[in-house]
């Protein structure tokens, strides 16, 4: 099995005459320790949307046996690259010894000679391929192929494309199942203008071979799929590709490899897995108290109440009556939590201490001329923290840890870092009837960078336009001169770190939260704007301002994609709706689904609902979630340790709990439910069993309005709790075990236990359950010695005379049973 870097010398004419591309300067071809360095020269100095760069460098590195790095950059290194820091992305160290397929050692001629993948390139015009060799059939598969496709590299515009096969599926931010080349028109795979682009997709071929492709670029970009090819277009930076090629060729292995690369997801505290509520309009304290009371009256779990306010509003509201601080205390006294969703903006006021402290420490974003970049929030003038300032951590910690936290005792913060639209009134350009530029793009929700439009940097109605425009009104959000001219510390243009704003702010906010907590407990930090590796530090809720049955269906793929990006603690919230704009049935079906999002937050005005079925449906779904908290926490621990996802197709929660939501109006039955192979037990009655012998077979499920179908995989052991209204009360209940046998009368399971809050866990247990036909040995593992001495069997609430001694050795203890414990009857085991 070989991974070769070979000359693919066949010169193929470029499909577009006006994109001459580049040629290899073979006189400057160099071999490096783990790959090659290739020099490129432009074939014809032609510029289209910016200034063409005539000399490029291509670095090819076989970083591990399962990862290839192809970096294309300008020879003079003037193009901005993603910062190699926690505010950007820390590059992993190269280690060719990593991976499971290493055979022999690399030789000097070919550093990648032990792997079955090749990287080939064409010399004129330059293009490259990532190829997999099938040695059993003596055939090859082109996994990524840029040859004979346009290649443009300018200072403000870069373009490169790769072909798609006739059959296959592309998994990206916007799921695409285009399987042939007959499709017309481009489909954007990644949303534009929301500052949360992650240019990563998985290409799954019909022979089940999967490839992960990641472009590291922090500029404004768009990636489109027209069925025949995927095209990358970006407003600046470089083309920095990483290819993930797992041995088994499975998509889940690609996902895991990517998570290991960008940083494994965080492990949330127990309370973060509870149910959250945020009203999308800033309310007075009495209104918020009313919402909490509704949850109590209807016996519905509520763990965290979110306040939506900026710092100025919260301080002003609290000054008169200390009301927010008192409300916070009431929530904490009742065992609940409080969090705030706020824009990271600072008001310009004579009395605002945070503003003057920021001026002294020079931590605000500036214009190119050196003055403060100012915006409007309502009637107030505001400024923005500069996350790249060397003083920002000290300053922001003082704002968070010394102002907000002591006063309000917040347990969590979400940065509403998509604030440009509200503070700069960018959308006004889309509302201007006589603006032909805006009117061309009003119909497109996603930007499609597929048309050449020249505006020669003209200024229309006070707005500055680049020469390359996007096929979306959203494009105008970031083209107002104040925003384009924003500069960060170190002479960093905002355009160069465009997609890093929320990620950087989230990381620094997390540092501030840890300072307040003395780095002892896990902080809840979320951001509406994320980037590569954000899942290691923060959670994320995707947001929609409308809810329809179609959006409900498509929301599932959004959660899957967030999981793929390493955002395990994630979900979706539908923002700003009530009984006036959606039906009760639609809302019930959404809340049944969202109850099982890894990060579950409601934004509905609970007082609008009065139907008994409404309350029963919510109560039932959340009771299942709270029952599964031990299982869910164990799945999150696995995710944080191995880089696996929490949500998995077909909406598997972990590997053993299957969720089958109702996604059609007036449906009380699901006729097309799919099940993985094996036995599946109904959660509610345990007696209804579905035997799936073919994954393509559909099953019918009864789905009354008050229940969402849920099934347990046969062959699994699930740890549960008796659900209570609070997470802490639920975890204080005894553990229960559901042993769901497979056809071989066997089952296995796992339970992870720690204190549920410590940032640095000291005491933890990893309990493995194995069942054959009778209960055999139980092994408990811990970091330190196990404190338990005996295990007593309890049946019908009464201790029996069966007591087993734990045999200890080092950090593990084993209960050796006598095989007399019947699993036909209910029992529990108490450790003392």
């Amino acid at each position: 099995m070989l991974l070769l870097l070979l000359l693919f010398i066949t010169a193929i004419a470029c499909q577009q005459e006006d994109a001459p591309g580049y040629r290899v300067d073979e006189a400057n071809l160099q071999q490096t320790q783990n790959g090659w360095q290739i020099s490129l020269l432009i074939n014809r100095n032609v510029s289209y949307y910016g200034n063409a760069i005539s000399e490029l460098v291509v670095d090819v590195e076989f970083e591990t046996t399962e990862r290839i790095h192809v970096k294309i950059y300008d020879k003079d290194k003037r193009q901005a690259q993603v910062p190699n820091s926690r505010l950007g992305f820390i590059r992993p160290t190269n280690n060719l010894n990593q991976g499971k397929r290493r055979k022999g050692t690399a030789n000097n001629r070919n550093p990648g000679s032990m792997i079955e993948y090749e990287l080939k390139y064409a010399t004129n015009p330059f293009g490259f391929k990532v190829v997999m060799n099938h040695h059993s059939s003596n055939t090859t598969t082109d996994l990524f192929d840029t040859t004979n496709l346009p290649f443009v590299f300018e200072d403000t515009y870069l373009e490169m494309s790769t072909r798609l096969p006739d059959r296959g599926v592309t998994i990206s931010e916007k799921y695409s199942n285009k399987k042939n080349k007959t499709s017309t028109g481009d489909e954007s795979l990644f949303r534009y203008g929301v500052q949360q682009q992650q240019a990563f997709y998985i290409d799954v071929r019909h022979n089940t071979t999967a490839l992960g492709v990641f472009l590291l670029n922090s500029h404004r970009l768009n990636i489109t799929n027209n069925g025949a090819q995927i095209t990358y277009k970006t407003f600046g930076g470089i083309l920095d590709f990483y290819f993930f090629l797992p041995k088994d060729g499975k998509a889940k292995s690609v996902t895991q490899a990517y998570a290991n690369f960008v940083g494994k997801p965080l492990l949330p505290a127990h309370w973060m897995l509870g149910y959250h509520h945020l009203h999308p309009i800033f309310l007075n304290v009495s209104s918020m108290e009313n919402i909490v009371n509704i949850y109590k009256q209807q016996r519905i779990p509520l763990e965290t109440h979110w306040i939506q306010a900026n710092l100025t509003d919260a301080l002003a509201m609290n000054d008169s009556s200390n009301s927010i601080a008192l409300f916070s205390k009431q929530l904490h006294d009742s065992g609940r939590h409080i969090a705030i969703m706020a824009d990271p903006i600072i008001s310009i006021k004579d009395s605002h201490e945070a503003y003057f402290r920021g001026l002294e420490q020079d931590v605000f974003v500036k214009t190119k001329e050196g003055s403060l970049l100012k915006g409007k929030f309502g009637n107030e003038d505001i400024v923005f923290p500069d996350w790249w300032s060397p003083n920002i951590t000290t300053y922001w910690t003082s704002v968070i840890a010394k102002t907000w936290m002591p006063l309000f005792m917040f347990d969590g913060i979400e940065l509403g870092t998509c604030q440009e639209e509200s503070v700069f009134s960018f959308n006004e350009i889309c509302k201007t009837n006589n603006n032909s530029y805006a009117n061309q793009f009003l119909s497109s929700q996603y930007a499609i960078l597929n048309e050449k439009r020249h505006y020669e940097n003209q200024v229309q109605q006070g707005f500055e336009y680049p020469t390359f425009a996007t096929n979306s009104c959203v494009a105008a959000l970031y083209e107002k001169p104040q925003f384009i001219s924003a500069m960060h510390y170190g002479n960093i243009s905002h355009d160069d770190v465009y997609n890093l704003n929320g990620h950087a702010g989230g990381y620094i906010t997390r540092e501030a939260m840890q300072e307040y907590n003395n780095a002892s407990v896990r902080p809840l930090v979320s951001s509406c704007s994320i980037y590569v590796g954000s899942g290691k530090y923060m959670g994320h809720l995707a947001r929609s301002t409308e809810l329809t049955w179609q959006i409900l269906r498509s929301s599932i793929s959004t959660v899957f994609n967030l999981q793929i990006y390493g955002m395990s603690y994630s979900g979706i919230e539908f923002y700003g709706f009530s009984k006036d704009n959606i039906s009760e049935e639609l809302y019930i079906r959404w809340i049944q689904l969202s109850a099982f999002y890894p990060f579950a937050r409601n934004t509905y005005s609970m007082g609008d609902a009065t139907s008994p079925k409404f309350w029963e449906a919510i109560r039932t779904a959340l009771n299942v979630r709270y029952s599964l908290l031990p299982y869910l926490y164990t799945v999150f621990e696995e995710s944080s340790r191995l880089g696996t996802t929490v949500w998995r197709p077909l909406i598997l929660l972990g590997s053993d709990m299957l969720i089958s939501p109702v996604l059609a109006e007036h449906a009380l039955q699901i006729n097309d439910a799919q099940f993985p192979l094996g036995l599946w037990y109904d959660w509610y009655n345990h007696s209804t069993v579905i035997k799936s012998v073919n994954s393509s077979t559909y099953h019918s499920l009864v789905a009354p309005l008050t229940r969402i179908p849920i099934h347990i995989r046969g062959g699994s052991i699930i740890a549960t709790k008796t659900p209570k209204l609070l997470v802490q009360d639920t975890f204080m209940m005894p553990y229960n075990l559901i042993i769901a046998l497979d056809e071989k009368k066997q089952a296995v399971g796992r339970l992870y236990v720690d204190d549920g809050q410590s940032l640095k866990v000291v005491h933890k247990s990893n309990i493995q359950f194995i069942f054959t036909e009778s209960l055999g040995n139980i092994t408990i593992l811990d970091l330190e010695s196990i404190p338990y001495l005996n295990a007593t069997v309890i049946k019908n609430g009464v201790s029996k005379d069966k007591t087993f001694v734990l045999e200890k050795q080092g950090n593990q203890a084993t209960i050796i049973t006598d095989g007399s414990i019947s699993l036909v009857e209910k029992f529990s085991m108490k450790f003392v």
Side-chain angles (χ1 to χ4, degrees):
M1 296 183 179
L2 302 176
L3 174 56
L4 304 174
L5 180 65
L6 303 176
L7 294 180
F8 186 74
I9 302 179
T10 306
I12 308 171
C14 194
Q15 292 178 337
Q16 296 184 5
E17 293 182 0
D18 61 350
Y22 291 77
R23 66 183 183 276
V24 173
D25 181 6
E26 298 188 55
N28 288 318
L29 180 63
Q30 300 179 29
Q31 183 175 346
T32 61
Q33 182 178 358
N34 292 323
W36 297 82
Q37 185 174 88
I38 305 168
S39 296
L40 301 181
L41 301 175
I42 196 169
N43 280 328
R44 193 169 66 250
N45 195 357
V46 178
S47 298
Y48 301 96
Y49 307 111
N51 299 309
I53 297 177
S54 58
E55 294 184 74
L56 304 178
V57 178
V58 182
D59 287 341
V60 179
E61 292 187 80
F62 304 99
E63 295 189 335
T64 74
T65 56
E66 298 183 350
R67 187 175 73 236
I68 302 175
H69 184 195
V70 178
K71 179 179 178 181
I72 307 175
Y73 58 98
D74 55 312
K75 181 180 179 180
D76 295 334
K77 297 183 178 181
R78 294 180 179 177
Q79 294 290 101
Q81 301 183 27
V82 176
N84 190 14
S85 73
R86 288 182 174 84
L87 301 185
F89 174 67
I90 297 180
R91 278 57 159 186
T93 57
N94 298 342
N95 185 358
L96 198 59
N97 293 314
Q98 292 179 358
K100 300 179 180 179
R101 298 199 314 280
R102 183 176 176 82
K103 294 186 177 182
T105 58
N107 57 57
N108 291 331
R109 289 185 59 196
N110 193 344
S113 61
M114 63 294 219
I115 317 173
E116 70 234 46
Y117 297 101
E118 300 180 48
L119 192 143
K120 302 179 179 181
Y121 68 86
T123 58
N124 190 12
F126 171 77
F128 69 92
K129 293 182 178 183
V130 176
V131 180
M132 186 177 76
N133 294 314
H134 304 282
H135 297 286
S136 59
S137 60
N138 198 29
T139 59
T140 63
T141 299
D142 294 341
L143 300 177
F144 192 89
D145 181 8
T146 72
T147 60
N148 195 32
L149 292 172
F151 173 33
V152 179
F153 201 115
E154 301 174 352
D155 56 354
T156 57
Y157 176 74
L158 291 78
E159 177 183 335
M160 178 170 275
S161 300
T162 178
R163 292 180 179 81
L164 289 175
D166 290 338
R167 298 175 61 190
V169 176
T170 302
I171 305 171
S172 64
E173 182 173 326
K174 189 176 181 185
Y175 179 81
S176 174
N177 63 351
K178 293 186 175 180
K179 298 180 179 180
N180 55 54
K181 299 179 181 179
T182 62
S183 303
T184 58
D186 285 359
E187 177 183 28
S188 176
L189 295 181
F190 297 86
R191 287 175 292 179
Y192 176 93
V194 292
Q195 292 189 304
Q196 57 186 37
Q197 294 164 316
Q198 299 202 41
F200 173 69
Y201 73 87
I202 300 175
D203 186 354
V204 184
R205 301 300 172 91
H206 70 280
N207 61 359
T208 71
T209 300
L211 163 76
V213 182
F214 168 52
L215 173 64
L216 182 63
N217 186 298
S218 57
H219 286 72
R220 292 173 288 172
L221 59 89
N222 200 35
I223 305 173
T224 58
N225 173 9
N226 67 2
Q229 65 190 46
I230 290 177
T231 298
Y232 294 84
K233 299 186 180 184
T234 174
F235 281 95
I238 66 172
L239 296 174
D240 199 357
F241 287 102
Y242 291 85
F243 301 95
F244 301 88
L245 308 150
K247 177 183 178 181
D248 60 12
K250 295 181 179 179
K252 67 178 183 180
S253 298
V254 173
T255 300
Q256 193 169 345
Y258 181 70
N260 287 322
F261 175 70
V262 302
K264 298 183 185 73
L266 61 85
L267 175 62
H270 279 171
W271 67 270
M272 298 180 198
L273 301 182
Y275 199 56
H276 301 246
H277 184 96
L278 164 73
H279 196 284
I281 302 173
F282 183 74
L283 302 174
N284 56 43
V285 171
S286 62
S287 298
M288 293 186 288
E289 290 174 337
N290 182 57
I291 290 174
V292 175
N293 288 332
I294 290 174
Y295 275 91
K296 291 180 182 178
Q297 293 166 6
Q298 296 298 332
R299 295 177 289 109
I300 295 173
L302 173 63
E303 188 67 22
T304 305
H305 187 92
W306 286 76
I307 295 174
Q308 181 178 4
N310 60 53
L311 177 60
T312 305
D313 286 341
L315 291 173
M317 182 177 176
N318 196 70
D319 282 345
S320 58
S321 60
N322 206 33
S323 56
I324 295 183
L326 290 174
F327 178 60
S328 177
K329 185 178 184 302
Q330 291 171 7
L331 286 175
H332 288 135
D333 289 346
S334 68
R336 293 177 172 82
H337 295 80
I338 185 170
I340 186 170
M341 184 179 75
D343 290 330
I345 55 179
I346 302 297
S347 176
I348 301 176
K349 281 188 175 181
D350 293 338
S351 59
H352 206 306
E353 179 185 354
Y355 171 63
F356 288 102
R357 194 187 312 142
L359 288 178
E360 292 174 358
Q361 298 183 26
D362 192 21
V363 295
F364 297 136
V365 178
K366 295 184 173 65
T367 66
K368 289 181 178 179
E369 292 73 28
S371 59
L372 289 179
L373 178 71
K374 298 179 181 179
K376 278 278 190 184
F377 191 90
N379 295 323
E380 291 191 31
D381 293 329
I382 57 171
V383 291
F384 306 91
D386 182 358
W387 306 122
W388 279 264
S389 168
N391 299 324
I392 191 62
T393 300
T394 300
Y395 168 76
W396 198 242
T397 298
S398 71
V399 172
I400 299 295
K402 297 179 181 178
T403 303
W404 282 19
M405 303 302 292
L407 184 59
F408 304 126
M409 296 179 289
F410 291 132
D411 301 292
I413 296 176
E414 176 175 333
L415 295 185
T417 44
C418 304
Q419 79 275 2
E420 288 83 5
E421 178 178 343
S422 60
V423 300
F424 285 131
S425 299
F426 289 140
N427 265 344
E428 291 304 313
I429 187 172
C430 300
K431 301 174 184 177
T432 306
N433 294 328
N434 60 355
N435 190 314
S436 59
Y437 174 85
N439 291 337
Q440 293 178 56
F441 309 131
L442 280 171
S443 61
S444 177
Q445 179 182 1
Y446 296 96
I448 301 176
L449 313 187
N450 65 337
E451 294 187 33
K452 181 177 177 182
R453 303 184 185 278
H454 289 275
Y455 288 90
E456 306 300 336
N457 288 317
Q458 61 187 304
V459 176
Q460 297 183 8
Q461 299 182 2
F463 288 83
E464 183 176 288
Y465 295 89
T467 57
F468 178 76
T470 63
N471 197 15
S472 173
C473 182
V474 179
L477 300 182
Y478 305 98
E479 291 165 8
K480 194 170 183 179
Q482 297 102 302
F483 192 76
I484 291 295
S485 64
M487 298 295 294
H488 298 275
Y489 181 88
N491 201 34
I492 299 174
S493 166
H494 183 77
D495 220 29
D496 291 339
V497 292
Y498 173 82
N499 276 310
L500 302 179
N501 196 44
H503 171 82
Y507 173 78
I508 292 173
T509 300
R510 177 183 171 87
E511 293 290 293
M513 292 281 285
Q514 290 182 192
E515 174 76 15
Y516 174 74
N517 293 321
N518 296 317
S520 60
V521 299
R522 300 167 215 167
L524 171 53
V525 176
S526 180
S527 176
C528 83
S529 174
I530 55 175
Y531 191 62
V532 176
S534 291
K536 184 177 180 179
Y537 307 112
M538 65 197 81
H540 175 68
L541 286 170
R543 180 177 300 168
S544 175
T545 55
E546 63 175 325
L547 177 59
T548 64
W549 290 100
Q550 175 57 40
I551 291 176
L552 179 65
R553 289 188 287 270
S554 64
S555 69
I556 294 173
S557 62
T558 300
V559 178
F560 282 145
N561 292 327
L562 289 170
Q563 299 288 301
I564 288 172
Y565 298 149
M567 299 296 304
S568 288
Y569 189 57
S570 59
I572 299 177
E573 63 180 1
F574 295 96
Y575 198 77
F577 56 81
S578 66
K579 68 178 182 180
D580 296 329
N581 52 26
I582 66 166
S583 68
E584 182 178 86
E585 179 197 9
L586 176 55
Y587 178 64
I588 286 175
R589 293 309 192 186
W590 168 73
I591 207 166
Q592 287 174 334
L593 172 62
S594 66
F596 298 97
Y597 290 158
F599 184 2
R601 188 168 77 185
N602 182 16
T603 60
Y604 190 80
S605 177
M606 301 297 287
D608 288 341
T610 56
S611 166
K613 286 189 175 181
F614 175 89
W615 301 117
E616 182 183 353
I618 297 176
R619 190 181 306 113
T620 300
L622 290 178
N623 278 344
V624 177
R625 180 186 180 92
Y626 276 54
S627 296
L628 289 172
L629 283 177
Y631 172 79
L632 182 59
Y633 191 65
T634 300
V635 174
F636 265 105
E637 187 278 333
E638 178 187 293
S639 176
S640 68
R641 179 169 46 88
L642 300 178
T644 53
T645 60
V646 173
W647 255 40
R648 304 166 191 177
L650 303 158
I651 310 186
L652 276 168
L653 189 61
S655 59
D656 299 324
M657 298 299 303
L658 181 65
I659 314 298
S660 301
V662 176
L663 303 173
E665 190 173 10
H666 305 317
L668 298 177
Q669 180 171 304
I670 301 174
N671 296 317
D672 55 355
Q674 287 184 278
F675 285 75
L677 299 179
L679 297 181
W680 292 89
Y681 297 84
D682 184 274
W683 166 267
Y684 300 99
N685 58 34
H686 295 172
S687 60
T688 303
V689 180
I690 288 180
K691 184 176 181 180
S692 177
V693 296
N694 189 323
S695 59
S696 62
T697 301
Y698 294 102
H699 300 267
S700 295
L701 302 176
V702 176
L705 188 60
T706 55
R707 284 190 179 184
I708 177 173
I710 301 171
H711 289 80
I712 308 167
R713 182 194 296 271
S716 65
I717 300 177
I718 307 295
T720 67
K721 294 277 190 176
T722 301
K724 299 296 179 180
L725 297 183
L726 296 175
V727 169
Q728 65 177 9
D729 293 345
T730 301
F731 270 100
M732 289 177 65
M733 300 301 293
Y735 283 99
N736 305 310
L737 288 183
I738 298 176
I739 301 176
L741 301 182
D742 61 15
E743 293 183 276
K744 296 180 180 179
K745 307 302 181 184
Q746 297 176 346
V748 297
R750 176 175 173 267
L751 173 64
Y752 173 80
V753 180
D754 62 21
D755 66 6
Q757 66 173 0
S758 294
L759 191 61
K760 297 180 180 178
V761 176
V762 177
H763 302 288
K764 60 184 178 181
S765 295
N766 182 32
I767 304 169
Q768 302 286 343
F769 302 107
I770 301 175
F771 171 77
T772 53
E773 289 190 355
S774 62
L775 184 59
N777 299 340
I778 299 175
T779 300
I780 304 174
L781 305 178
D782 201 345
L783 284 178
E784 300 177 351
S785 61
I786 306 296
Y788 310 117
L789 299 176
N790 302 297
T792 301
V793 176
I794 299 174
K795 184 178 179 181
N796 296 325
V798 180
S799 297
K800 296 296 181 180
D801 57 358
K802 286 288 185 181
T803 298
F804 302 97
V805 178
L806 275 70
E807 295 187 5
K808 300 182 180 181
Q809 183 177 1
N811 69 330
Q812 69 179 24
T814 302
I815 306 166
I816 301 178
T817 71
D818 58 4
S820 63
I821 302 176
S822 173
L823 293 172
V824 177
E825 300 175 337
K826 293 182 178 180
F827 75 94
S828 62
M829 189 171 288
K830 182 179 181 181
F831 296 90
V832 293

